Amino acid sequence: MTPEEILRESGNQKHEVDLGIALIRIIELGCFNQTYLRSILKRQIETQELIKGNTDISENVSNRFEELEKMISEVASENYYSLVQKVLK
């Protein structure tokens, strides 16, 4: 069901949205997703190191994790600014 269909079927019903609560919920979900994705990335790096046969993986994982986070942050920032520019046009 599309948003348009939902609005059409709701008829004349009034739906109140508390923007403050909605924004806080979005921030909460963003924090959860960020933590979840970081743990997945770290686990994948650990798995790759174990497959390579490395037994002392803590330092390698930390270094690769930091490198990947920096790269992801740069790409995400570029994407964000690109999208904002499109929205503002």
Side-chain angles (χ1 to χ4, degrees), residues 65-78:
F65 185 72
E66 288 174 14
E67 291 171 8
L68 285 172
E69 273 195 319
K70 183 179 177 185
M71 182 192 69
I72 291 168
S73 178
E74 290 171 359
V75 171
S77 291
E78 290 174 14

Side-chain angles (χ1 to χ4, degrees), residues 30-64:
C31 290
F32 174 82
N33 287 337
Q34 180 183 24
T35 303
Y36 186 72
L37 292 172
R38 289 180 69 177
S39 70
I40 291 170
L41 178 61
K42 192 168 186 177
R43 179 66 68 180
Q44 287 178 333
I45 295 169
E46 288 171 351
T47 303
Q48 288 174 347
E49 290 297 315
L50 289 171
I51 289 172
K52 290 178 185 176
N54 296 340
T55 54
D56 184 26
I57 61 173
S58 60
E59 188 173 325
N60 291 341
V61 170
S62 295
N63 291 339
R64 287 194 55 211

